[in-house]
Amino acid sequence: MVTACSTPPPATAGPGSTLQAHVWQCSEGSTINTRNLSSPPGIALRTGGETRTLPQARAASGVRYQDAVMQFWTEGDSARFERQPGSTVDCREIRSLSLPEDARVRGVTFRGVGNEPGWRLEIGPAHRVLFEDGYGSMSVVFSPCRRCLKPLRALPSTKAHRAATA
């Protein structure tokens, strides 16, 4: 038996939605992780062992983040990264790594996906269970609520049996 209360579905990384975290592979071999920040607008950028907060800056196209030392400029699934002093490197988003990283940032503790038809199962945060089927065309969210949950009864003990091997 499944018991749940109806709650509005939280922001998730489904088809066409904006991810909160991204993983980028750059031309010189480095990997960059970014996480969107909302107030003030910017990103947390992690490369190597260093994490920096870059505020959003004006851009003619795409989205640019910059401080006195670093600049990260995205447009679609490509980006340019520059560290002072240094040269500019081109980067591409690795969607297959961005999706689980985004789930981790959102507090998801388990994520399963499959195809034909595309489905997704996420558990967390806070015991929420999300199931999407048909590439996001059907979505079900289960969120436990205290007034709905009953204490579990212990199952009667059963005898254990061993299989004999020859």
Side-chain angles (χ1 to χ4, degrees):
M1 176 173 95
V2 176
T3 307
C5 291
S6 176
T7 57
T12 61
S17 66
T18 302
L19 299 182
Q20 296 178 24
H22 300 271
V23 178
W24 306 85
Q25 182 68 51
C26 298
S27 56
E28 91 298 0
S30 69
T31 300
I32 295 175
N33 290 54
T34 60
R35 183 173 44 89
N36 296 343
L37 304 173
S38 58
S39 184
I43 58 170
L45 182 143
R46 186 175 75 233
T47 180
E50 180 182 12
T51 300
R52 296 183 68 90
T53 300
L54 303 180
Q56 189 171 344
R58 282 191 183 174
S61 65
V63 184
R64 184 168 61 105
Y65 306 94
Q66 182 175 8
D67 68 6
V69 177
M70 290 182 184
Q71 175 177 273
F72 193 73
W73 197 329
T74 68
E75 189 164 1
D77 66 349
S78 61
R80 301 195 85 181
F81 175 64
E82 181 179 357
R83 182 191 308 246
Q84 298 294 331
S87 60
T88 301
V89 295
D90 292 323
C91 306
R92 299 254 340 133
E93 181 191 11
I94 307 171
R95 192 69 166 184
S96 63
L97 297 178
S98 292
L99 292 169
E101 178 64 11
D102 175 76
R104 187 191 66 75
V105 165
R106 290 184 291 109
V108 172
T109 56
F110 175 83
R111 182 174 191 274
V113 296
N115 53 2
E116 301 310 326
W119 61 269
R120 174 172 61 131
L121 175 72
E122 291 184 349
I123 301 175
H127 306 291
R128 175 190 65 90
V129 177
L130 164 73
F131 177 72
E132 285 185 347
D133 196 16
Y135 299 99
S137 65
M138 190 269 307
S139 181
V140 180
V141 177
F142 298 94
S143 296
C145 69
R146 295 182 201 284
R147 67 178 164 78
C148 299
L149 298 177
K150 296 179 181 176
L152 296 175
R153 289 181 291 134
L155 295 175
S157 59
T158 59
K159 292 183 180 178
H161 297 279
R162 285 193 185 167
T165 58

